[in-house]
Structure formats: structure tokens, C-alpha cells
Amino acid sequence: NAGVMQNPRHLVRRRGQEARLRCSPVKGHSHVYWYRQLPEEGLKFMVYLQKENIIDESGMPKERFSAEFPKEGPSILRIQQVVRGDSAAYFCASSPGAGQNTEAFFGQGTRLTVV
Amino acid sequence: KQEVTQIPAALSVPEGENLVLNCSFTDSAIYNLQWFRQDPGKGLTSLLLIQSSQREQTSGRLNASLDKSSGRSTLYIAASQPGDSATYLCAVGAGGTSYGKLTFGQGTILTVHP
């Protein structure tokens, strides 16, 4: 039973390019969360999605960032026109439901470097 | 706005020592609390989850307690080993309209030396 799979593990983009980060949740999990860990900072919530719906995007920057979790396929975090400040580790987590005893399982992360 | 603080920021202990990591949060209206470990360059591994109605959880050498009223949680590690060296993160889960969102502390970097 595979855990949360993120790819790529490392991504290098030049300023102005687009970055697409993929997350396949644990099989059977319908809740997906994206977090960002900037250098020397803690993990910050970005967005919470269920299949085909954005539930909470209060942590997403207003511009250039978008996320989706289609009916079929992985969740995608898309960053358009990347800048140096986007360099960070991006983590995806999934959970099976909404209970108090529901753990969030995290992937290995995608480390984005903007040059 | 929920804020989570972890003390100490770093801890270095000899192998075999029992130790306590502290986590405090400002809003006691939490849904649950999770402790994670993060190894350098790796993802997060869930260690323990405590529901808001619970006082503690145990797994092997780990014991986590929760005192909602005072906004505190502690992670107790018994008989520490070099393999316990990692960053330990405390994360508070929100309910209500903020459901699903985890607020993380900055972490405690633990080094256990032989």
C-alpha cells in the first residue's frame, strides 16, 4: 500500500517558467492538502482540496499559484512565472476523511529551486 | 489566528536519556494535535495523533500528552537512541470552517549522540 507519492522530488526552473508539482494521495484518500516549507521557516498551509473541489485556499498566494484535484489522476500544484522566492519544499498530505482521529499522511516533498 | 511554538529549538543529549519536547498553541479550540518527525531532506512521518477529547497517546518509547485548557502538549521520548535524531514537529488541527488545516510549530531539532 503505497503512501503519498510526489513527483518530481527535485525540480529546477528558471525565473519566468512554470512549475507543475504532482501528488498522488494514499489509495482511497479523497482529501489532499498542500504545504510549503520555505528555507529556515516552518511548514505553512496552502490549500485543501477534495475531489474536484477546493475547500480552503486561504494559504495560497493570490497570484501565479493554482491547485486542482481532478476526478481522475493526481493533484497538481501549479506555479506560473516562478520567481526566486518560490524556491522551497512543497509537501502534499492526504487523509481518508474528516474525523478527529484522522491522521494526515505526508509525501516526501518536491524541492523547487528557481535559478 | 492559531500560533504554535515549540521549545527548545534544538536539543542535544547523550544516548539513553529521557527527554521532553514542548509545544504550545494560542487557540485552545483545536480539533486534534499531531506530532511528526522530519529527517533532513525527507518528508514527514506521523508519530502520534491526539484527539481534542484525549489527554495522551502512547506508541512504543513515545508518549504525547495534551492539555487543551492551558494550550500545551508534550512529547516524551524514553531511552533516546541516535536513530531518534531528527526534527520533531508539532501540528495543531483546526475544526469548523478551518477544517483540514494544520498549523505547524518551527520544530525542535534533536541530536542524540552515542
Side-chain angles (χ1 to χ4, degrees), chain A residues 1-9 21-35 49 69 73-76 90-96 102-111, chain B residues 34 36 42-46 102:
Chain A
N1 185 20
V4 177
M5 304 299 291
Q6 291 188 248
N7 66 81
R9 292 289 307 278
L21 287 61
R22 295 175 182 75
C23 169
S24 296
V26 173
K27 189 175 180 180
H29 287 191
S30 58
H31 300 241
V32 165
Y33 316 84
W34 285 92
Y35 292 82
L49 309 104
F69 187 19
S75 175
I76 305 289
Y90 292 81
F91 290 95
C92 171
S94 74
S95 67
T102 301
E103 286 182 67
F105 294 88
F106 280 75
Q108 296 285 303
T110 293
R111 279 151 184 84
Chain B
Q34 272 189 263
F36 296 88
K42 301 287 180 62
L44 279 69
T45 301
S46 179
L102 287 175

Side-chain angles (χ1 to χ4, degrees), chain B residues 3 7-9 21 28 35 51 54 57-58 66-67 75-76 82 84 86-87 89 99-101 109:
Chain B
E3 292 182 4
I7 294 172
L21 308 182
S28 61
W35 282 93
Q51 299 175 45
Q54 296 176 325
Q57 283 287 341
T58 298
L66 174 64
D67 184 342
L75 179 66
Y76 176 83
D84 294 332
T87 298
L89 297 166
Y99 173 71
K101 183 187 305 184
I109 301 171

Side-chain angles (χ1 to χ4, degrees), chain A residues 31-49:
Chain A
H31 300 241
V32 165
Y33 316 84
W34 285 92
Y35 292 82
R36 177 166 66 173
Q37 188 173 37
L38 291 164
E40 308 303 324
E41 293 190 20
L43 280 98
K44 303 291 186 190
F45 169 83
M46 297 182 75
V47 63
Y48 164 34
L49 309 104

Side-chain angles (χ1 to χ4, degrees), chain B:
Chain B
K1 177 187 170 188
Q2 180 72 271
E3 292 182 4
V4 180
T5 304
Q6 291 187 246
I7 294 172
L11 184 62
S12 181
V13 300
E15 182 177 5
E17 200 161 290
N18 301 326
L19 53 98
V20 174
L21 308 182
N22 297 290
C23 171
S24 62
F25 45 93
T26 54
D27 186 348
S28 61
I30 68 170
Y31 203 53
N32 54 31
L33 185 146
Q34 272 189 263
W35 282 93
F36 296 88
R37 71 173 277 169
Q38 184 176 25
D39 293 280
K42 301 287 180 62
L44 279 69
T45 301
S46 179
L47 298 173
L48 289 164
L49 177 143
I50 310 177
Q51 299 175 45
S52 62
S53 57
Q54 296 176 325
R55 297 300 295 269
E56 67 176 344
Q57 283 287 341
T58 298
S59 176
R61 294 182 294 107
L62 305 179
N63 175 276
S65 67
L66 174 64
D67 184 342
K68 263 183 55 176
S69 60
S70 66
R72 295 177 193 274
S73 176
T74 60
L75 179 66
Y76 176 83
I77 302 177
S80 57
Q81 303 170 358
D84 294 332
S85 298
T87 298
Y88 288 80
L89 297 166
C90 167
V92 171
T97 56
S98 297
Y99 173 71
K101 183 187 305 184
L102 287 175
T103 302
F104 282 84
Q106 294 282 79
T108 293
I109 301 171
L110 174 64
T111 304
V112 181
H113 46 88

